[in-house]
Amino acid sequence: MNQVVADLLAHNAEHADSFRSRFGDVQDAQHPEAVTVCCADSRVLQDHIFGNDDPGHLFTCSNIGNRVVQQTTSGEAVSGDVLYPLAHTGTKTAVVVGHTGCGAVTATYDDLTEGLSEPPGIEHCLGLLKPHLEAGVDALPDDIDRAGAINRLVEYNVDRQVEFLRESDDVADDVDVIGVVYDFQDVYSDRRGELQVVNVDGETSVDTLRERYPEIGDRIDRLWEY
């Protein structure tokens, strides 16, 4: 047996022991309070960043670039994995989770500025991000360094995903859509692993958000108010 898999199974045995009695209320149905859309990155531990170990509490989705967009035969649509809990389980909160130093945003930036050659599957994912980030790349200051450009585009990408959800006819008007950035690189502060709220239902002004939500004012910040 591959040792990595053997270790994973050993940890799963511990998980099964501790969770034995914790599925009673959710074995037959789920009604998660929020759907979270995170980047598929090994450094972003989706449930852990929210302190969650409660089955049925969060409906977690992940993909390259924390996208809510998928391509269909009739054009762009809200990705089915994101839409499912909003349409079928009574979930009324969606949280788009970007992260500092995002590789998907970096690759999209490189593709838009210099061109890239990637395998078809990765190329497809970048192709879903490119039309939503192109204007953001064009708006970057001329004197910005590469790391600064990427992290500003991380915010810009979160904004575009929030916008797409809010403008979709498939998402009910009473769904709250929040955009956050997970920081493990000391970009916003020295509190590694902290989430910064950058967008609430389309509002991105830091001053407005802090006035509107004083209880989380110290968690509201942006690098770029374009």
Side-chain angles (χ1 to χ4, degrees):
M1 168 61 70
N2 178 301
Q3 188 58 48
V4 172
V5 176
D7 291 343
L8 291 174
L9 291 174
H11 290 306
N12 173 254
E14 297 172 1
H15 164 82
D17 288 340
S18 63
F19 275 69
R20 177 183 297 274
S21 61
R22 302 184 64 179
F23 290 98
D25 294 335
V26 295
Q27 281 184 312
D28 299 321
Q30 60 173 325
H31 301 285
E33 294 188 15
V35 53
T36 62
V37 190
C38 297
C39 189
D41 189 298
S42 63
R43 299 165 294 183
V44 181
L45 306 177
Q46 288 194 66
D47 283 289
H48 282 250
I49 66 177
F50 295 107
N52 179 55
D53 61 0
D54 186 8
H57 180 49
L58 295 178
F59 192 104
T60 54
C61 307
S62 65
N63 57 58
I64 291 177
N66 44 271
R67 291 175 285 102
V68 305
V69 181
Q70 72 181 34
Q71 190 64 238
T72 72
T73 54
S74 57
E76 289 187 332
V78 176
S79 181
D81 52 351
V82 178
L83 186 59
Y84 176 80
L86 301 177
H88 292 292
T89 70
T91 304
K92 296 297 183 183
T93 301
V95 185
V96 178
V97 185
H99 68 88
T100 51
C102 178
V105 171
T106 300
T108 305
Y109 171 75
D110 289 341
D111 201 8
L112 285 167
T113 55
E114 301 175 4
L116 285 180
S117 177
E118 293 284 359
I122 297 176
E123 184 178 4
H124 172 76
C125 293
L126 298 182
L128 293 172
L129 284 175
K130 285 168 62 177
H132 297 275
L133 295 190
E134 190 167 9
V137 171
D138 292 341
L140 287 167
D142 292 335
D143 60 348
I144 196 168
D145 64 16
R146 179 178 174 81
I150 299 308
N151 285 320
R152 281 157 178 76
L153 288 173
V154 165
E155 291 181 347
Y156 189 86
N157 180 43
V158 168
D159 291 339
R160 299 290 70 76
Q161 306 306 315
V162 169
E163 180 182 52
F164 195 85
L165 282 177
R166 295 185 72 246
E167 293 184 351
S168 172
D169 292 337
D170 294 324
V171 177
D173 293 339
D174 61 349
V175 171
D176 291 321
V177 186
I178 317 301
V180 302
V181 175
Y182 181 64
D183 183 14
F184 52 78
Q185 298 180 327
D186 303 330
V187 173
Y188 293 86
S189 72
D190 60 358
R191 288 178 57 82
R192 292 181 185 175
E194 191 167 79
L195 289 165
Q196 291 293 332
V197 178
V198 300
N199 190 315
V200 179
D201 288 326
E203 180 59 66
T204 60
S205 166
V206 171
D207 289 340
T208 300
L209 290 173
R210 286 178 177 170
E211 180 179 355
R212 191 174 296 173
Y213 307 104
E215 68 277 15
I216 58 165
D218 62 338
R219 303 294 295 278
I220 297 171
D221 202 1
R222 287 187 69 93
L223 302 173
W224 193 24
E225 297 197 41
Y226 44 85

